[in-house]
Amino acid sequence: MKRTPTAEEREREAKKLRLFEELEDTWLPYLTPKDDEFYQQWQLKYPKLVLREAGAVPEELHRDVQAAFATLHQHGCLARDLVRIQGKDLLTPVARLLVGNPGCTYKYLSTRLFAAPWPVRGSSVAYHTAEIAAACQTLLSLNGYLQLETAQAWEELVAKERANIDEVPVCIGPDFGLGIFDGPDEADIRSRSAYNVTLLNFMDPRKMPHLKEEPYFGMGKMAVSWHHDENLADRSAVAVYSHSCEGPEEESEEDSPLEGRDPDTWHVGFKISWDIETPGLAIPLHQGDCYFMLDDLNATHQHCVLAGLPPRFSSTHRVAECSTGTLDYILQRCQLALQNVGDVTDSGGVALKSLEPAVLKQGEEIHNEVEFEWLRQFWFQGSRPRKCTDWWCEPMARLEEMWRRMEVATNGVLQEVRREGVPVGQRNAMVTAILASLTARQTLRREWHARCQSRAARSLPADQQPECRPYWEKEDPSMPLPFDLTDIVSELRGLLLEASP
């Protein structure tokens, strides 16, 4: 069944088509450091983008971070994501790993990544090897360093805005000093740079011969297309540490004879969203360079990653919007749903404490949330979430057990609906309360099952192939309801039709 695009997707596609129509066969202009007006344009149109060159970062931190990248790569901890874009499963050209606060997740392109926990104070994490443990500790140290650097960049930006200084602020060298930022905004600045996860990225362009061409400016091959980072706290910063595995003989940007950006060097591209007047920027990235996107830059601008020749790692630190994305959150939701489940009856079912439609509706919505936003997302990624540590195994087993109790509770609701003597009005209210959730459950189960069998899924290495879980056969005696809910949904619709005048 073909998926219907969302209103947001339709609007985005319409904007893209209008932009291509306006462009016709011409390229939009973009600037590199070789262009005289590059830094002036950066100051005027991209002031919330800050670059910190590698020489300003402690050498010991460079060594540790680059060793951590190598360790995690050698242990197979980074892998390409099978993401969902406009109803299609696509394998990302970039391999990724999420590391962050214990119990955190990060969702992008309909894919929930489960953070390998870094060893924050008070946590206990059993990593598979001492090398992986050291790598995660290093990423936590890098996170702390980038938080401080982000706060400094904020202070520099705010000070310049207050003083209305018109100069180029973007390259922060080794002598960059800490400004004093006083006033009520200090706590807000620190909260907007309180990075709780980092998304690690790796790509070797030599093994990716079919990368897309950048479509608006003619910037060359893209490792990551134009986008806004998703699922972030409002107006929060993003900090990126970049490490391209360059050799000492690699040509510098200034020495390149080519017009435009040097295709051998990795760049990050920036443009104002849907703007065809302002030139874009292509900023070269070398070993150990960091850049920061401050305030609302991620919302008002788009960025892309332009591939160079050597393999490249990056660590992208962000404040993930976690109001619905932590283990604590979903455990609390499950406990809320199960408050309506009473004792086991003589027949093996459960007694429901309330048959109020609002209570039943809430329980079935949470049932769907834990199944499709957590359990199926986790198992769809094969063994990937367990490459660094088995930390997530116990929580997922607990969530699955709570989900099983919700299956029993759903069966209890259906038994009440079918019970003789129930007043028609009460039956209709119960059916109406649960029908939308059960219909969605049936549709989503079919979709997830098909995704696990797709050609893209089967192309993955054996340890990364999706598992359709939970899944059970029709006659499984341990399950109160079938996996396929087609007949049940039809039955409930029929009951509503019978009661209609």
Side-chain angles (χ1 to χ4, degrees):
M1 183 173 62
K2 188 174 181 180
R3 174 182 167 277
T4 302
T6 66
E8 183 180 354
E9 288 171 344
R10 289 195 299 271
E11 180 182 1
R12 187 165 58 242
E13 192 64 25
K15 284 182 177 179
K16 188 185 297 184
L17 288 173
R18 285 198 298 271
L19 185 55
F20 279 127
E21 287 173 0
E22 290 183 55
L23 287 177
E24 295 181 341
D25 295 326
T26 63
W27 293 119
L28 292 174
Y30 76 96
L31 304 172
T32 75
K34 293 181 294 184
D35 296 299
D36 293 338
E37 62 270 40
F38 174 78
Y39 291 104
Q40 181 184 23
Q41 194 68 222
W42 191 338
Q43 162 67 17
L44 291 174
K45 297 297 185 179
Y46 303 85
K48 297 176 182 178
L49 169 63
V50 176
L51 175 70
R52 177 150 196 168
E53 294 172 333
V57 180
E59 188 60 38
E60 183 179 1
L61 185 60
H62 282 310
R63 289 196 302 269
D64 290 347
V65 171
Q66 291 164 20
F69 287 155
T71 292
L72 294 171
H73 184 252
Q74 289 163 7
H75 283 79
C77 298
L78 288 86
R80 297 165 67 189
D81 291 320
L82 191 57
V83 297
R84 194 77 164 165
I85 301 177
Q86 295 185 1
K88 296 180 180 179
D89 285 321
L90 300 172
L91 202 56
T92 60
V94 176
R96 295 188 166 98
L97 170 68
L98 186 70
V99 183
N101 290 350
C104 266
T105 68
Y106 178 70
K107 193 173 182 185
Y108 83 107
L109 297 178
S110 303
T111 299
R112 184 177 300 280
L113 300 181
F114 295 79
W118 44 34
V120 295
R121 184 177 301 174
S123 66
S124 177
V125 183
Y127 298 98
H128 291 324
T129 70
E131 292 83 4
I132 291 175
C136 290
Q137 176 62 62
T138 294
L139 292 172
L140 179 60
S141 299
L142 175 62
N143 195 64
Y145 173 81
L146 291 176
Q147 285 182 350
L148 294 175
E149 296 304 309
T150 306
Q152 290 184 12
W154 272 105
E155 291 165 0
E156 179 81 356
L157 177 66
V158 171
K160 288 181 183 295
E161 287 182 347
R162 285 177 173 173
N164 196 26
I165 297 174
D166 187 17
E167 63 184 57
V168 176
V170 291
C171 287
I172 305 176
D175 298 328
F176 176 75
L178 172 63
I180 302 300
F181 181 83
D182 52 11
D185 294 327
E186 181 177 359
D188 187 41
I189 283 177
R190 298 201 179 279
S191 71
R192 289 201 244 166
S193 56
Y195 305 127
N196 49 15
V197 296
T198 180
L199 187 60
L200 303 188
N201 304 282
F202 172 77
M203 198 186 82
D204 185 347
R206 297 168 299 185
K207 298 180 179 178
M208 295 288 165
H210 304 299
L211 294 176
K212 289 183 179 179
E213 293 284 339
E214 192 283 312
Y216 306 118
F217 301 89
M219 292 177 173
K221 301 289 186 183
M222 297 186 298
V224 182
S225 301
W226 291 107
H227 68 288
H228 306 276
D229 285 341
E230 297 182 68
N231 195 29
L232 303 182
D234 186 43
R235 302 178 81 98
S236 61
V238 176
V240 180
Y241 179 98
S242 178
H243 171 59
S244 50
C245 308
E246 304 165 355
E249 74 286 349
E250 183 132 337
E251 186 176 45
S252 70
E253 180 80 13
E254 288 73 23
D255 295 334
S256 172
L258 302 173
E259 291 186 5
R261 72 116 179 166
D262 179 358
D264 293 350
T265 301
W266 285 82
H267 289 65
V268 59
F270 280 89
K271 69 182 181 72
I272 300 175
S273 299
W274 314 116
D275 180 343
I276 64 172
E277 303 295 334
T278 304
L281 298 184
I283 302 167
L285 297 173
H286 300 292
Q287 285 183 344
D289 284 351
C290 302
Y291 63 91
F292 304 86
M293 297 186 283
L294 303 180
D295 195 39
D296 62 350
L297 182 77
N298 180 59
T300 58
H301 295 61
Q302 290 177 304
H303 59 283
C304 68
V305 181
L306 301 160
L309 279 184
R312 174 184 178 263
F313 291 94
S314 67
S315 184
T316 62
H317 298 247
R318 51 196 75 197
V319 187
E321 203 294 299
C322 280
S323 62
T324 62
T326 65
L327 177 62
D328 285 343
Y329 160 80
I330 193 59
L331 285 173
Q332 291 173 9
R333 289 282 285 170
C334 291
Q335 289 162 358
L336 177 62
L338 294 176
Q339 285 178 1
N340 194 42
V341 180
D343 297 331
V344 177
T345 63
D346 294 338
S347 62
V350 293
L352 298 175
K353 296 178 181 178
S354 172
L355 296 176
E356 286 294 321
V359 175
L360 300 183
K361 183 175 185 288
Q362 175 182 258
E364 296 306 325
E365 289 173 346
I366 296 172
H367 188 160
N368 282 0
E369 184 176 11
V370 68
E371 178 171 340
F372 301 109
E373 288 294 333
W374 292 82
L375 294 174
R376 296 198 183 280
Q377 288 274 6
F378 183 82
W379 293 109
F380 187 75
Q381 295 170 46
S383 65
R384 279 190 56 196
R386 309 187 294 284
K387 282 287 188 179
C388 295
T389 170
D390 289 334
W391 190 91
W392 278 100
C393 292
E394 187 278 330
M396 297 312 294
R398 185 177 175 191
L399 288 176
E400 189 163 329
E401 179 55 35
M402 298 171 97
W403 167 85
R404 285 178 177 272
R405 291 181 63 195
M406 292 180 207
E407 284 284 304
V408 175
T410 301
N411 189 44
V413 178
L414 293 173
Q415 289 176 349
E416 285 295 325
V417 166
R418 295 166 179 147
R419 186 167 56 83
E420 292 185 11
V422 176
V424 172
Q426 182 181 351
R427 175 181 286 116
N428 286 351
M430 289 191 290
V431 170
T432 302
I434 67 172
L435 180 57
S437 290
L438 267 64
T439 302
R441 193 173 306 159
Q442 166 60 12
T443 301
L444 288 170
R445 281 181 182 174
R446 185 180 298 158
E447 181 179 301
W448 278 96
H449 188 262
R451 291 187 69 192
C452 290
Q453 309 300 322
S454 71
R455 180 182 302 175
R458 293 197 303 269
S459 72
L460 292 169
D463 64 338
Q464 297 176 27
Q465 290 192 1
E467 179 180 353
C468 184
R469 179 171 172 178
Y471 181 79
W472 61 101
E473 298 296 338
K474 189 173 183 179
E475 304 302 328
D476 189 335
S478 69
M479 297 300 296
L481 294 172
F483 179 85
D484 187 332
L485 298 174
T486 301
D487 292 343
I488 290 173
V489 169
S490 296
E491 176 190 357
L492 296 178
R493 286 174 175 163
L495 289 173
L496 289 180
L497 286 173
E498 288 176 10
S500 60

